[in-house]
């Protein structure tokens, strides 16, 4: 406080900074709440996708075990090498309160088996279909998981800035405004008292020339 001159111009400046800081805190608080709602929606979606993935994996592995038993492990392994990798997707982004979250775009097509039906059976077909469905679910899960991470990091940053305003910046300028106001009010009282004294002296001189 010793470095701050208690002037009216500094009071106006401090009040302006205080008002700006309060509005900044309100905006950051609103942003944080929106980001939290968005993140929780993604978290719920991630839980649903994870449950579907777990279910599909159980069904796929049951079919794969049956295929291994009925067809032989070596035959199933040879067939697995003929299945191409699924790399047909595009990665886009959308903005959520300034945060770029990913969107995975892909054509969800019914995959046709790449192996001959001569040496395979129904268990192999079911395993192929189930694992294909899991591929699309994993893409969705990766999209959601990445969005949750980015939103969580932005929430952390926003919370840190809001805390700095609420606990440091705003109290600091509230104190500065109060200090300057108190000093100026005290000065006004002293000036008023001096004026009264001068006025009384002047009146006495006129009464006793």
């Amino acid at each position: 406080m010793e470095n701050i001159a208690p002037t009216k111009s500094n009071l106006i400046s401090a009040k302006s900074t205080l008002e700006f800081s309060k509005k900044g805190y309100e905006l950051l608080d609103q942003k944080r709440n929106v980001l939290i709602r968005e993140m929780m929606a993604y978290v719920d979606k991630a839980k649903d996708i994870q449950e579907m993935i777990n279910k599909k994996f159980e069904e796929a592995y049951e079919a794969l075990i049956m295929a291994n038993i009925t067809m032989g492990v070596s035959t199933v392994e040879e067939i697995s090498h003929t299945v191409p990798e699924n790399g047909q997707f595009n990665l886009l982004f959308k903005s959520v309160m300034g945060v770029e979250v990913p969107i995975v775009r892909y054509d969800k097509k019914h995959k046709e088996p790449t192996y001959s039906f001569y040496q395979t059976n129904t268990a192999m077909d079911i395993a192929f279909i189930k694992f294909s469905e899991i591929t699309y679910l994993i893409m969705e899960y990766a999209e959601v998981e990445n969005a949750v991470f980015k939103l969580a990091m932005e929430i952390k940053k926003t919370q840190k800035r809001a805390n700095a305003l609420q606990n440091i910046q705003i109290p600091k300028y509230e104190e500065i405004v109060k200090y300057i106001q108190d000093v100026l009010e005290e000065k006004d009282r002293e000036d008023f008292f001096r004026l009264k004294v001068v006025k009384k002296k002047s009146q006495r001189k006129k009464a006793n020339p």
Side-chain angles (χ1 to χ4, degrees), residues 42-57:
Y42 275 110
V43 169
D44 290 339
K45 186 177 179 182
K47 289 179 181 177
D48 293 338
I49 296 173
Q50 185 64 66
E51 288 177 2
M52 287 190 284
I53 289 174
N54 292 340
K55 183 180 178 182
K56 293 291 182 183
F57 262 124

Side-chain angles (χ1 to χ4, degrees), residues 21-173:
S21 298
K22 287 181 177 179
K23 287 182 178 178
Y25 172 75
E26 289 175 2
L27 290 173
L28 286 173
D29 190 50
Q30 291 172 7
K31 177 182 179 180
R32 178 184 55 192
N33 291 334
V34 171
L35 289 173
I36 289 173
R37 285 197 298 271
E38 288 288 333
M39 188 185 73
M40 294 311 297
Y42 275 110
V43 169
D44 290 339
K45 186 177 179 182
K47 289 179 181 177
D48 293 338
I49 296 173
Q50 185 64 66
E51 288 177 2
M52 287 190 284
I53 289 174
N54 292 340
K55 183 180 178 182
K56 293 291 182 183
F57 262 124
E58 287 179 7
E59 295 171 350
Y61 276 117
E62 286 178 4
L64 183 61
I65 290 170
M66 186 58 64
N68 285 331
I69 294 172
T70 55
M71 294 169 48
V73 175
S74 58
T75 302
V76 172
E77 187 176 353
E78 287 177 9
I79 291 172
S80 69
H81 294 310
T82 67
V83 179
E85 293 183 4
N86 187 352
Q88 301 299 317
F89 66 90
N90 293 314
L91 188 61
L92 307 175
F93 292 91
K94 72 173 182 178
S95 179
V96 178
M97 296 297 289
V99 182
E100 295 293 315
V101 296
I103 302 174
V104 179
R105 289 279 184 259
Y106 57 88
D107 292 329
K108 194 171 184 178
K109 299 177 180 178
H110 176 70
K111 290 186 178 181
E112 295 296 332
T114 56
Y115 51 84
S116 170
F117 292 104
Y118 176 69
Q119 291 181 312
T120 60
N121 56 24
T122 305
M124 186 66 202
D125 296 339
I126 294 173
F128 175 82
I129 293 170
K130 295 297 180 183
F131 279 113
S132 298
E133 292 173 351
I134 290 169
T135 301
Y136 294 122
L137 287 172
I138 289 174
M139 288 184 187
E140 291 181 33
Y141 190 78
E143 171 191 310
V144 172
E145 190 177 53
N146 191 276
V148 169
F149 174 78
K150 288 193 171 186
L151 290 170
M153 292 301 295
E154 187 64 24
I155 289 169
K156 186 177 180 180
K157 290 180 185 177
T158 305
Q159 181 70 55
K160 188 175 180 180
R161 292 170 187 157
N163 287 343
L165 286 174
Q166 185 181 34
N167 301 322
I168 300 173
Q169 185 84 344
I170 292 174
K172 173 185 174 182
Y173 279 92

